[in-house]
Amino acid sequence: MVIDQPFSAAGAQTPPPRSAVTEGRATRVALTVIALLFLAVFLVLPLVIVFLQAFANGVGAYFAALTEPDAVAAIQLTLLVAAIAVPLNLAFGVAAAWAVAKFEFKGKAFLTTLIDLPFSVSPVISGLVYVLLFGSQSLLGPWLAAHGVQILFAVPGIVLATIFVTFPFVARELIPLMEEQGTADEEAALSLGASGWQTFLRVTLPNVKWGLLYGVLLCNARAMGEFGAVSVVSGHIRGLTNTMPLQVEILYNEYNFAGAFAVASLLALLALVTLIIKTILEFRYGDALSGSTGH
Amino acid sequence: MIRKSGCRFSEKIMLKQRDRAMDLSIRNVRKEFDRFAALDDVSLDIRSGELIALLGPSGSGKTTLLRLIAGLDHPTGGQIFFGGEDASVKTVQERNIGFVFQSYALFRHMNVLDNIGFGLSVRRGADRMAKAEIARRATELLDLVQLSGLERRYPHQLSGGQRQRVALARAMAIEPSVLLLDEPFGALDAKVRRDLRSWLREIHDATGHTTVFVTHDQDEALELADRVVVMNEGRIEQIGTADDVYDTPNSPFVFGFIGESSSLPIHVEAGQLWFEDRPLGLPAGDAPDGKALLYFRPQEVKLLDGCGGCIAGTVAAGRRVAGTRRLELEVGGHRERVEIEVPASHPAAARSRIAFRPEKWRLFGTPGEAAPSEKVRRISGWPAAVQAGEGSSAARR
Amino acid sequence: MATALAHAGWRFRRPSVIPGFGLTFGFSIAYLSLIVLIPLAGVVWRSASLGWPEFWRIASDPRTLGALKMSFGGALAAALVNIVFGTLVAWVLVRYRFPGKRIVDAMVDLPFALPTAVAGIALTTLYAPNGWIGGLLAPLGIKVAYTPLGIIVAMVFIGLPFVVRTVQPVMEEIDREVEEAAATLGARRAQTVRRVILPGLAPAILTGFALAFARAVGEYGSVIFIAGNIPYVSEIAPLLIVIRLEEYNYAAATAIATVMLAISFAMLFVINLIQAWSRRRYGYGH
């Protein structure tokens, strides 16, 4: 860089001093190397080890571990839970974003804080709240038992806990985006005679579709990967109430490392696909996705 | 040199700054960004204590030149001297220049006093200053820019004009050898601009800094600067006082950029200027025969009754401008449009014919006459302005 | 339904031609209440019904205190590590150019996307005494897995993106001219970074710190595998809640949860205060 600089006629042998707003080359290289090393150790190595361990006993063992009945049941349950939780949170996210972003009302900031609440609650506590609500000691417990309704240690409990932890994702993505876009488009559509639904479907939705997809993506990743909350309410019944992350735990605690990492590799793959789609969305439609980052 | 208003400024600041003011010499400077020449062979000498305006449209290279002087960027070729010393080996920190950014670039987490004192507080070694001394100097400067009482405010609590003054005080705090201002009034509204303009002139006269400022506003440049440097497409078109660049512009660009102008394609033949088949009654002087462009200002024309040597045209449009009237005339077979100024009382009706002759005018070569290798705007390849006239008299230069 | 709330004088919401407020607001509030508010209130109600002496007895039990100390202490240490490295990573991503930058940038979100259990077993395998990193550290006498250090490693992992993603956008918006102004005033690069850039980033760094801290305090999945879970030594509060639940000791689980909730909400409150203060004082915040 500096070397290529033609020297001035008067023979100022010293190359021109470097830019005023960056560090020296040595500093830049050093900082980059430190940052990359840190990321390599903390992010890349764990990801690499998942796949290495998954295939430690060969490809055959890998697929055997994945097609084993308990693993298949866990995969099915995980898909089922996500298939229920994600659409519900999607509906909530859209409704909440519409109410918060398109209207001015008292206590709006407080409502937004409440929507974010599940993010600041430990996953274990997210599970605990449902144990306290539906457990045998609770007010509802005896009544539920008498009517033969099983919530805890069954699929409904898992779904509820998953909904709780993934609750804010879609709303959080949509609210800032829709606030930024204001209400002028909707008002224009309404003044042209569109109904409320037409306005939503044909004006609002196209404006936020990428942000919506982004929120759903993050919501889904978390729904399929949730561990703590689900662990508290599931009861760990093999083949019945084990999701994939719980299956990973059980296999790992049984020292079936290859099996644990095989199931884990599917979840890691899901995470990678999520990251890739997310990156593509940000790259392609960066302007259509507002600043907030999903957690 | 100190004007009557200067007496309110601290003597001490003035003296210090005066000692430091420095000549500035820019020699054959060239700056390329990815092979695009933002500056092309620019040379300029600035005398100590001078107030210089770099004037030009956006993209003319004026800000690039200012940043090169500051050391924020480095030239691809050529040199810049500060008082005889080659500055190209110096970092921006060593150059001791005061730079006022268009966006002000105030430190938003520091209050006004800390902003002004920042340059003093980063000094080390022998130049290191005590905190109390820094605060005292900063207060003095705050007084100079007439913002006393705002010491503890943060930048976001100030108006645009106030921020501008803090930025200037901050730049002056380090006792710079040269003060550089990038569009200093660009972001302010018209009224504040005018106030700050005369105020800046006062400060300059009182402190005597060598000052260079960038502007695209010709009024600002003409009113404020000792000399105006007109820039276009990376080159200096003309350097001169306000009178020089307004009265004797040396290129079509300068003529067109500063003040208002009309131009008309004419040809030179037999020592006379001709528009189509009619003589204009203006002498060609030593201009060579052939095509040329006649430049004149709408307000520097003389209306004629008859037309024995004149430009005659049909009124295409008229509009009232303050105390006068502007007429757009269609002249000649190609309906070339020119604009002239007439008294507001002039009874110019649409489609009526009017004859006039420029009182002051200049001739430049036409694009068609240019050597093929040269760019269009340089076709004043006839060395600078070939011919200028005042009334019917001979060339002025 | 919402219009019924619009009395003369005090108006719940500003009138608008856009339809659907009643439907969406009503649905949002109902869903929020059913899923989040009522269940959370249940914890508080349960905890309150314990009575203060009983609550205090559980909360001040040495094992509870030990677990809380581990969770909060570990989270504090991890958040401190994260503000240093998170800010560094953000700086490198924003300011420098290097091959593969886009991929590295995307990778920063991995802890958001990777299920915690997967992260937990992967980190444990890496840092176990026979693992890639654990094996390097063992000869030096440093044990990571199954010690409090391991807990901190897991908490650094899950907290990192919070700092990077909070600081990065603020860093991108730093006006280059501000840095140039500092340079023209004679500040060397290190002085500019220390006195101009970092103070400007401070509110964002503080927010990132609080977010990373809050997440690490409650973290369960990625920690329990690497922690060793030895009571009084490397047992985290969420794990103790699970243990108490498995013992059907709902009272203890509830009390510990209440302490954690109270501290988490206090953190949330502090974050909001920092942001409001920064906006008021400097005209910006994150």
Side-chain angles (χ1 to χ4, degrees), chain B residues 29-85:
Chain B
V29 160
R30 182 177 172 77
K31 177 67 180 174
E32 289 174 12
F33 293 110
D34 298 330
R35 324 247 343 243
F36 164 77
L39 282 180
D40 189 6
D41 195 22
V42 165
S43 294
L44 172 66
D45 283 302
I46 298 170
R47 290 184 292 272
S48 171
E50 219 176 357
L51 180 54
I52 293 279
L54 301 181
L55 173 66
S58 53
S60 60
K62 51 195 195 307
T63 296
T64 305
L65 180 55
L66 200 72
R67 291 174 59 87
L68 290 181
I69 298 173
L72 291 170
D73 289 319
H74 299 285
T76 313
Q79 284 161 295
I80 294 170
F81 289 88
F82 279 40
E85 205 180 344

Side-chain angles (χ1 to χ4, degrees), chain B residues 67 103 122 124 154 156, chain C residues 177 180 187-188 191 195 281:
Chain B
R67 291 174 59 87
S103 67
V122 293
R124 299 219 300 195
Y154 285 88
H156 77 104
Chain C
E177 290 195 344
E180 290 178 345
R188 278 159 302 105
Q191 287 175 314
R195 299 205 29 204
R281 179 146 190 203

